[in-house]
Amino acid sequence: MWARFSRLYLLLRKTMVNRITIWCGSFCISAVTAVLWAVLPPLNFIMALAISGGVLLFISQCSFHFLAIVCTKRINWIKFALIAISGALIGATWMASVGYWHLSWQLPESKIQQDVTINGVVVQGGCLNGQKLSVDAESRIYSYTVHMNKMDAVILPITKKVKLSHRTNARFKAHSTDHSAVYSSAQSNERQNNECLHNGDSFIATVKLKPAYGVLNPVGFNRQQYLTSQHIVATGYIKKLDIENTTHNHSTRHNISAFLSTLPLNQMRWFQALLIGERSLLTKEDWHTIGQTGTAHVFSISGMHLSVIAMAAFYSCNVIILILLLINFALKSKAGFVNFRTYVVFTVVISAAFYVMLSGMALPVVRAFILLTVGVGFAVFNKVLRPVNLGIFMLFTCILVFPLSLLQASFYLSVGAVISIWLLNWRFHFHAMPWYNALFCIQLGVSVVMAPISLLWFGTASVIGIIANMLVLPIVALILPIALLALLVGYFIPVSLSFSVWVLQKIDRVFTWVMALLTEAASYPLSAIHFYPSSGAMLCLLGAMLFGLLPYWRYKWVCMLLLVLPLFVSFIPASPSTWYVNVFDAGQGTAIAVTKGKHAVIIDTGPMYNGEAPLAGKVLPAFLAKTNSTLVDMVIHSHGDTDHAGGRQAFKAWLDSEGLNPSWISPVDGCERGKVTRWQGLTLSFLWPEKGNVEDSNAMSCVVKIDDGHRSVLFPGDIERTSEYAILQTEYKRGDVDDNVSSNTNIEPGGKNEANHLSVNADVLIAPHHGSKTSSTNIWIQKVSPEVVIYTQGYENRWKFPSKSVVSRYQEYGVRQFTTSEFGFIRLEFAKGGYIVSSERKHTQRRWYLPAHAPRHVLKHGSKPAPKSEPRHQLSPNFTDSVGVNKYNFPSKHRVD
């Protein structure tokens, strides 16, 4: 009888563990699919999902209890299917609820881009006392993450996260190496009008806010997705800081970081990044070095660093226990047995918690700490689980506590690393190898498996990362606990400051040697590969790797080959019979790439902000590589303003690195009316300015028209009404045929009916001057007669482009209108006499967490309805007044044949 009940208990326990694992696994898979949802499901549908999930779970529970009563050993797999479906429904319900919760509070329209007084607390991004700037630094821009609790004297029911930039003009001076001076500085901070804020400071400031938004292109950093993952609902900048109402509540972390900044260390920025999690001091060169060598994760505090601290605490406790036992044995004490297990576990958890606090509560570290706590909890209560059960439960806990972390690369990198280590150990039995062989194999396997994930998120995978990590990881694992202990001892025990500085200086020498080695390794051209594959190709590659780890079966290699094929397809360039006009979402600026096969013509390189041009230096090269159109034959700058030509130097640097030497054309060099050239079967006609022009301005922007004999696109730059009239007037003059046709090998001379090419008539028009009210006159729209007009402008730009009057004029002529701020990257595909207009935000990356916002100033007072008479090609936009509905209610993909 007792044996029977024992067997029944073990069966029930095993069944219970399996049920929980299946339910949690289904929950996780369903939750991850939320990353791909175009829209959130309706609320009534979410309620139905929740009820259905609960009912299915109840039915499965009743079935299992019935099986247990009758002592049936045969497991009905239908019941497990019910559990899996229940977990999937609850997972979808959870993520949909989180999505609605995040979107539930939106910045009131009356507060957008208006002076607003807020009360807030800085939680991340604050400056440091003792921070040293270069002697010529006149100002610095800080980016704070702030918990906003009051807006215009109205208390918010729940604090909201906002991102604020703050330009300070005060220069910082280094404090004394005596860390007691840090405390006095923290309490009596500089009372200057331009002082910066520190983490923990409570303040009142006048700010300008707008909803969390960002540019959206096929490649490059997705800022809007990042802001959503951080629960940030608005961004803006501080106009005026109320110094008198600023309270400095500096945390222990801030004071330790400020103390560290006063020490005489050459590699101060790396100590800050590794010990405190303060990475704002790292330069662009530093990021390039660790990116090329694949060691960025080593210097970004994560679960790996937490595990090092936990292991150091664990082994330190063991050493202390061993010493106590030896003392007890030497004294021949008859003390009773003491169970040190609880004390050791408690010490490990406390040490890990302190390091989490010291890291600034970085999400990867907090996530790892929660998982460590879960594992310790199972160990304390003597619950032994298989690795797969424990891993799935930890993943479930992570998604439950941090659901929006699914939008971050760190989640997939962490999970991918853990899964790859588990699979590799299961397949190759590392525990049976010598430790050095096991470490090498693990590092090799993880680097190979993580490469597709790195390529998918960043477009970069380090080639020398395996060797670099084999060298750097052991060094960091060894010096991290020692450096942290020396720092804390020097901070909390002033009398030991000299010894702590001596230890840190020794470690500083090691850091100097390591960074010199990494810098040298990063300088090699083949230190990393840059590749921008599709998500499907990378998922297929990961599937092929998974199949490679599995035991052999008959068609294993055939399956792997089929899964790898999509990766090779990515290297095939587009059909040479099709050409594309790619309009980038460049913010308040213009950047366009015309591509055909392997060749490209660049029209404007986008804006420059604060001395940087990320679109020209990163996005544009990455896009050309992604589309296999890296042979740039011509770069045309409509004029020299920074919103059009700000990326000239950055793009030229990339061209030089690739060994490309295209022709550069500007209003004062190579662009003149009457010039007609042939490029890859297309005709490029230059319509403005007149020959001999020496002025580089809006009025003299280089106006280019590209056509294939059937369809054409007009690029007018920033011309205004005066230039529009001048261009139209020259159409009535004779002698427009160009006598000076380019002889470039890639640009063939020719052009039949060139007077026709020099006409402004076009199917697609890039709006002059971003849609300014000083351009797009009635006569211009009539003569161009476009079917589609595209405004290149930034979200909530200060000039309110496009102008409401301009939008109305195009509407009256039945022109379909697109704005890059609302639609993101826009692509026009020309083939077989027709063309397709598709957009990134409404088609390729249509996601619930990337909502599109139409220009408010156009919608605010309504718009004139379309004319009653049927416009040409029935392309008139349909304006709506519904909240959340796109300004132009037309499909994201539109074909004209």
Side-chain angles (χ1 to χ4, degrees):
M1 176 68 71
W2 288 110
R4 182 179 181 182
F5 278 111
S6 177
R7 288 195 301 270
L8 179 60
Y9 170 76
L10 293 176
L11 175 63
L12 287 176
R13 180 178 176 181
K14 181 179 179 181
T15 304
M16 176 65 72
V17 172
N18 290 337
R19 279 186 291 165
I20 294 175
T21 301
I22 292 173
W23 192 91
C24 291
S26 300
F27 179 97
C28 295
I29 294 173
S30 177
V32 171
T33 63
V35 177
L36 304 176
W37 294 353
V39 294
L40 292 175
L43 290 174
N44 54 356
F45 185 73
I46 296 175
M47 185 65 68
L49 288 179
I51 294 174
S52 302
V55 170
L56 290 177
L57 185 62
F58 177 76
I59 293 174
S60 64
Q61 287 287 96
C62 293
S63 301
F64 273 110
H65 284 304
F66 175 75
L67 291 174
I69 291 173
V70 299
C71 301
T72 303
K73 295 182 179 181
R74 180 183 176 185
I75 300 297
N76 191 340
W77 292 104
I78 296 179
K79 306 304 185 276
F80 282 111
L82 292 178
I83 290 178
I85 296 173
S86 171
L89 294 178
I90 299 300
T93 301
W94 173 244
M95 291 306 301
S97 302
V98 171
Y100 274 111
W101 174 261
H102 176 74
L103 299 175
S104 62
W105 189 90
Q106 296 294 322
L107 189 66
E109 187 172 339
S110 60
K111 307 295 184 183
I112 298 177
Q113 293 290 60
Q114 302 297 319
D115 287 352
V116 178
T117 301
I118 69 167
N119 294 46
V121 179
V122 179
V123 295
Q124 188 178 358
C127 59
L128 298 174
N129 291 327
Q131 185 172 339
K132 305 176 182 67
L133 295 181
S134 58
V135 294
D136 58 344
E138 294 294 339
S139 65
R140 178 165 181 171
I141 298 177
Y142 292 92
S143 181
Y144 309 136
T145 301
V146 175
H147 277 157
M148 180 177 64
N149 49 51
K150 186 183 292 187
M151 179 188 297
D152 281 342
V154 177
I155 299 176
L156 301 179
I158 300 177
T159 59
K160 296 298 178 180
K161 260 188 175 183
V162 297
K163 197 82 170 177
L164 297 176
S165 61
H166 184 204
R167 182 185 294 274
T168 62
N169 295 322
R171 300 186 184 184
F172 292 88
K173 296 181 180 180
H175 291 287
S176 168
T177 54
D178 181 5
H179 73 279
S180 61
V182 175
Y183 300 117
S184 61
S185 174
Q187 297 300 325
S188 58
N189 200 12
E190 301 94 339
R191 296 294 177 176
Q192 299 178 7
N193 217 14
N194 297 307
E195 72 169 0
C196 66
L197 296 171
H198 312 86
N199 292 343
D201 287 359
S202 302
F203 69 95
I204 299 176
T206 302
V207 302
K208 276 198 173 183
L209 297 174
K210 60 183 178 181
Y213 210 61
V215 299
L216 188 61
N217 292 297
V219 293
F221 178 61
N222 191 331
R223 183 171 183 261
Q224 191 173 1
Q225 179 174 329
Y226 168 77
L227 294 175
T228 302
S229 70
Q230 298 292 318
H231 299 269
I232 294 173
V233 297
T235 61
Y237 63 92
I238 296 177
K239 289 188 65 177
K240 183 180 179 182
L241 181 63
D242 189 347
I243 304 299
E244 298 301 324
N245 289 307
T246 299
T247 305
H248 299 284
N249 301 314
H250 298 165
S251 63
T252 302
R253 173 179 179 264
H254 174 270
N255 291 333
I256 293 176
S257 182
F259 163 66
L260 177 60
S261 66
T262 64
L263 302 181
L265 302 173
N266 296 324
Q267 305 297 329
M268 172 60 63
R269 60 191 186 279
W270 297 108
F271 278 98
Q272 291 279 2
L274 191 59
L275 301 181
I276 310 296
E278 181 60 54
R279 295 179 294 170
S280 62
L281 301 180
L282 298 182
T283 63
K284 291 189 295 184
E285 292 75 17
D286 294 334
W287 286 110
H288 173 76
T289 298
I290 60 179
Q292 290 289 105
T293 56
T295 55
H297 65 286
V298 177
F299 299 99
S300 300
I301 294 182
S302 62
M304 181 195 72
H305 301 76
L306 186 72
S307 63
V308 170
I309 297 299
M311 290 177 61
F314 175 77
Y315 286 115
S316 298
C317 290
N318 286 335
V319 170
I320 294 174
I321 292 173
L322 179 61
I323 294 174
L324 292 176
L325 290 176
L326 291 175
I327 294 175
N328 183 60
F329 178 77
L331 298 177
K332 297 181 180 181
S333 174
K334 297 183 179 180
F337 173 76
V338 178
N339 186 0
F340 289 101
R341 181 181 181 184
T342 303
Y343 298 101
V344 172
V345 170
F346 182 77
T347 303
V348 169
V349 173
I350 292 298
S351 302
F354 181 78
Y355 189 65
V356 170
M357 182 275 296
L358 201 61
S359 71
M361 303 294 289
L363 180 58
V365 189
V366 176
R367 184 167 57 213
F369 176 73
I370 292 177
L371 300 184
L372 173 66
T373 305
V374 171
V376 168
F378 280 112
V380 169
F381 293 101
N382 297 316
K383 301 296 182 180
V384 180
L385 296 178
R386 291 184 299 171
V388 62
N389 300 121
L390 183 61
I392 290 178
F393 185 76
M394 286 182 170
L395 182 61
F396 163 77
T397 305
C398 178
I399 294 177
L400 188 67
V401 178
F402 306 107
L404 290 183
S405 67
L406 292 173
L407 303 178
Q408 292 184 1
S410 62
F411 173 84
Y412 300 95
L413 292 172
S414 300
V415 172
V418 173
I419 292 177
S420 61
I421 292 174
W422 180 75
L423 286 174
L424 290 168
N425 185 54
W426 166 78
R427 183 68 176 85
F428 300 106
H429 306 289
F430 292 141
H431 56 274
M433 298 181 182
W435 65 269
Y436 46 86
N437 286 345
L439 286 178
F440 177 79
C441 293
I442 289 175
Q443 182 59 54
L444 177 62
V446 170
S447 299
V448 172
V449 174
M450 298 302 290
I453 302 177
S454 180
L455 286 172
L456 184 60
W457 279 91
F458 310 111
T460 301
S462 177
V463 176
I464 62 173
I466 299 174
I467 300 175
N469 280 281
M470 289 293 294
L471 173 67
V472 175
L473 273 176
I475 295 176
V476 170
L478 179 63
I479 67 177
L480 175 60
I482 299 174
L484 186 60
L485 181 62
L487 175 63
L488 296 179
V489 169
Y491 176 78
F492 288 107
I493 308 176
V495 295
S496 64
L497 180 60
S498 299
F499 177 75
S500 298
V501 171
W502 179 81
V503 173
L504 291 174
Q505 285 179 334
K506 298 301 180 183
I507 297 176
D508 187 53
R509 293 183 181 179
V510 178
F511 262 136
T512 301
W513 175 77
V514 169
M515 296 317 302
L517 191 62
L518 291 180
T519 303
E520 179 66 23
S523 64
Y524 291 100
L526 297 179
S527 59
I529 58 174
H530 302 279
F531 180 49
Y532 305 90
S534 63
S535 301
M538 286 297 96
L539 291 177
C540 289
L541 181 59
L542 286 172
M545 290 181 175
L546 176 61
F547 282 5
L549 291 175
L550 297 178
Y552 177 80
W553 74 90
R554 184 174 182 181
Y555 298 105
K556 174 179 178 179
W557 298 108
V558 175
C559 293
M560 291 178 62
L561 179 61
L562 292 176
L563 287 173
V564 172
L565 283 179
L567 180 65
F568 293 101
V569 173
S570 302
F571 293 96
I572 301 176
S575 171
S577 62
T578 304
W579 61 288
Y580 303 88
V581 175
N582 306 283
V583 184
F584 290 89
D585 187 3
Q588 187 53 46
T590 301
I592 301 170
V594 181
T595 59
K596 189 176 183 185
K598 295 183 179 180
H599 297 266
V601 170
I602 307 302
I603 302 177
D604 289 331
T605 52
M608 179 193 298
Y609 300 115
N610 301 318
E612 296 185 1
L615 191 137
K618 297 179 180 178
V619 176
L620 193 51
F623 175 79
L624 295 176
K626 183 182 180 68
T627 57
N628 299 303
S629 303
T630 54
L631 300 180
V632 180
D633 299 322
M634 191 185 311
V635 180
I636 303 172
H637 279 121
S638 60
H639 60 296
D641 286 359
T642 55
D643 59 334
H644 289 253
R648 177 186 176 93
Q649 294 302 323
F651 190 62
K652 187 176 186 304
W654 175 76
L655 291 173
D656 293 340
S657 66
E658 296 294 319
L660 298 174
N661 187 26
S663 57
W664 293 79
I665 296 177
S666 69
V668 296
D669 184 12
C671 182
E672 56 188 45
R673 178 169 179 81
K675 181 177 179 180
V676 178
T677 64
R678 296 282 292 174
W679 173 80
Q680 300 298 315
L682 304 179
T683 303
L684 278 71
S685 307
F686 296 88
L687 311 183
W688 188 256
E690 295 287 1
K691 186 176 182 179
N693 172 66
V694 294
E695 181 182 341
D696 190 358
S697 63
N698 287 354
M700 293 301 167
S701 292
C702 182
V703 179
V704 188
K705 178 182 175 181
I706 301 179
D707 71 83
D708 59 4
H710 301 281
R711 296 290 180 177
S712 58
V713 184
L714 184 62
F715 307 88
D718 276 359
I719 62 171
E720 298 181 340
R721 63 168 64 95
T722 303
S723 300
E724 292 175 358
Y725 294 151
I727 294 172
L728 295 178
Q729 185 178 8
T730 57
E731 282 199 18
Y732 296 98
K733 296 180 180 180
R734 300 295 181 182
D736 279 330
V737 180
D738 180 30
D739 296 327
N740 183 21
V741 180
S742 173
S743 59
N744 189 297
T745 55
N746 290 320
I747 306 173
E748 303 171 358
K752 57 183 179 179
N753 194 9
E754 295 191 358
N756 211 16
H757 292 314
L758 295 175
S759 168
V760 296
N761 180 266
D763 300 289
V764 179
L765 170 67
I766 306 300
H769 202 184
H770 316 284
S772 167
K773 63 182 179 181
T774 59
S775 60
S776 295
T777 57
N778 280 291
I779 186 63
W780 173 263
I781 299 174
Q782 290 177 15
K783 292 299 182 181
V784 176
S785 188
E787 295 173 344
V788 170
V789 63
I790 299 175
Y791 304 98
T792 56
Q793 40 74 248
Y795 175 64
E796 290 294 333
N797 62 86
R798 68 179 70 178
W799 300 276
K800 297 190 181 301
F801 294 151
S803 168
K804 183 175 179 296
S805 60
V806 170
V807 171
S808 298
R809 282 201 291 271
Y810 281 107
Q811 182 183 1
E812 290 173 358
Y813 288 95
V815 182
R816 193 171 288 264
Q817 306 179 58
F818 294 82
T819 57
T820 53
S821 66
E822 180 181 358
F823 289 85
F825 173 88
I826 298 172
R827 190 177 212 195
L828 298 100
E829 177 184 349
F830 293 84
K832 298 180 180 179
Y835 63 95
I836 299 174
V837 183
S838 60
S839 69
E840 199 72 12
R841 200 180 293 276
K842 300 297 184 69
H843 176 247
T844 310
Q845 293 194 56
R846 189 185 175 204
R847 302 289 185 267
W848 64 267
Y849 49 86
L850 301 175
H853 294 300
R856 288 184 312 116
H857 61 276
V858 178
L859 292 176
K860 187 175 294 184
H861 304 293
S863 301
K864 296 180 181 179
K868 294 182 179 180
S869 59
E870 185 176 316
R872 183 167 59 90
H873 298 301
Q874 299 182 354
L875 294 175
S876 61
N878 177 23
F879 288 82
T880 63
D881 295 325
S882 302
V883 177
V885 178
N886 300 329
K887 171 178 175 288
Y888 309 113
N889 189 15
F890 45 80
S892 59
K893 292 197 80 175
H894 168 66
R895 185 176 190 111
V896 181
D897 291 316

